[in-house]
């Protein structure tokens, strides 16, 4: 039986670097961002509607979703506000959306679901693509890790960045199965006010989402 092994970090960087100058610039920006996150520089905190940040990211990547005929929706509590660094959360949402579109299936769906409780806003992003094995899911936050079954190009840094930003926000990234038992789901919780810290999303499954989609 032939077993396909994940690419090594050196191979990933070499392949990614050999592409267009724009791709190389993106890789450098990702590495610099991770370095800044590791240094734990001060964050610019403010209160804002998380839905607005998601809508901006969707508009920015609408052409990529259109190229694959992917439907992107926002459901849940669209009024939910968070207290966080808006710039960092835009990067987090950008990476989650880029990952879902890149590895999602053609004519598939990407869903952003928002749920507000007393202390936090919980974000769940799910797609209905091929997903990854349970063994690989446990490594998706590792830097430069790419699934052996991945067909789209990438640096293997996107979910690592999401994980680090979540940690900076006093939360953590949780991974699960995506829509309809397929694809990938990513959960992150954010505080609603400065007194809320060390937010942990302890909810087990994804549950049912009966909210009507928020127009984007």
């Amino acid at each position: 039986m032939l077993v396909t092994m994940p690419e090594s970090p050196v191979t990933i960087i070499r392949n990614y670097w050999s592409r267009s100058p724009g791709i190389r610039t993106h890789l450098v920006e990702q590495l610099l961002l991770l370095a800044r996150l590791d240094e734990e520089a001060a964050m610019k905190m403010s209160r804002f509607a998380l839905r607005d940040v998601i809508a901006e990211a969707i508009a920015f990547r609408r052409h990529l979703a259109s190229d694959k005929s992917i439907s992107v929706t926002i459901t849940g509590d669209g009024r939910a506000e968070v207290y966080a660094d808006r710039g960092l959360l835009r990067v987090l949402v950008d990476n989650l959306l880029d990952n879902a579109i890149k590895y999602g299936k053609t004519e598939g769906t990407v869903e952003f679901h928002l749920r507000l409780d007393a202390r936090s806003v919980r974000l769940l992003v799910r797609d209905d693509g091929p997903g990854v094995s349970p063994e690989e899911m446990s490594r998706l936050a590792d830097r430069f890790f790419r699934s052996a079954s991945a067909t789209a190009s990438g640096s293997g840094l996107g979910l690592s960045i999401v994980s680090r930003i979540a940690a900076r926000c006093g939360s953590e990234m949780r991974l699960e199965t995506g829509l309809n038992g397929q694809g990938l789901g990513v959960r992150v919780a954010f505080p609603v006010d400065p007194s809320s810290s060390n937010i942990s999303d302890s909810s087990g499954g994804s549950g049912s989402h009966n909210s009507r989609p928020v127009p984007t």
Side-chain angles (χ1 to χ4, degrees):
M1 178 178 177
L2 178 62
V3 178
T4 304
M5 299 298 292
E7 296 174 300
S8 70
V10 173
T11 300
I12 292 172
I13 293 176
R14 182 184 296 119
N15 292 341
Y16 212 58
W17 194 263
S18 65
R19 299 177 184 273
S20 69
I23 294 294
R24 293 196 291 270
T25 299
H26 180 61
L27 175 59
V28 171
E29 289 174 345
Q30 286 185 312
L31 291 171
L32 289 174
L33 174 60
L34 279 169
R36 289 196 296 271
L37 290 170
D38 287 343
E39 291 174 356
E40 298 191 355
M43 297 191 295
K44 298 178 180 179
M45 308 297 286
S46 63
R47 189 184 305 280
F48 54 90
L50 184 53
R51 181 206 180 281
D52 292 345
V53 175
I54 296 170
E56 290 172 7
I58 292 174
F60 184 72
R61 283 178 165 73
R62 192 177 300 278
H63 65 290
L64 298 178
S66 179
D67 288 345
K68 295 182 66 175
S69 300
I70 290 177
S71 171
V72 184
T73 63
I74 307 175
T75 64
D77 194 339
R79 302 164 300 171
E81 294 188 341
V82 298
Y83 182 78
D85 185 310
R86 197 181 197 281
L88 283 183
L89 256 63
R90 172 60 193 273
V91 172
L92 178 145
V93 171
D94 277 339
N95 277 279
L96 288 176
L97 180 57
D98 182 68
N99 190 76
I101 293 174
K102 184 180 295 182
Y103 300 109
K105 68 179 183 181
T106 300
E107 299 183 347
T109 299
V110 175
E111 178 193 70
F112 285 81
H113 183 77
L114 295 169
R115 182 163 63 87
L116 176 65
D117 62 31
R119 298 179 62 236
S120 66
V121 173
R122 302 182 187 275
L123 170 65
L124 171 60
V125 183
R126 302 188 295 174
D127 65 68
D128 55 0
V132 298
S133 68
E135 295 76 19
E136 290 186 324
M137 187 178 291
S138 66
R139 296 194 57 197
L140 288 181
D142 294 351
R143 296 181 186 185
F144 299 109
F145 178 78
R146 280 172 49 79
S147 168
S149 60
T151 55
S153 64
S155 65
L157 292 174
L159 290 181
S160 178
I161 290 172
V162 170
S163 179
R164 287 294 296 125
I165 292 176
R168 289 299 312 276
C169 292
S171 182
E172 61 182 338
M173 179 181 77
R174 291 178 175 267
L175 303 174
E176 60 186 63
T177 304
L179 293 167
N180 304 316
Q182 304 179 66
L184 181 68
V186 182
R187 288 180 179 268
V188 187
F190 306 100
V192 297
D193 60 62
S195 64
S196 300
S197 61
N198 296 321
I199 301 297
S200 176
D201 190 341
S202 58
S203 54
S206 57
S208 60
H209 299 316
N210 296 321
S211 304
R212 296 176 59 187
V214 179
T216 61

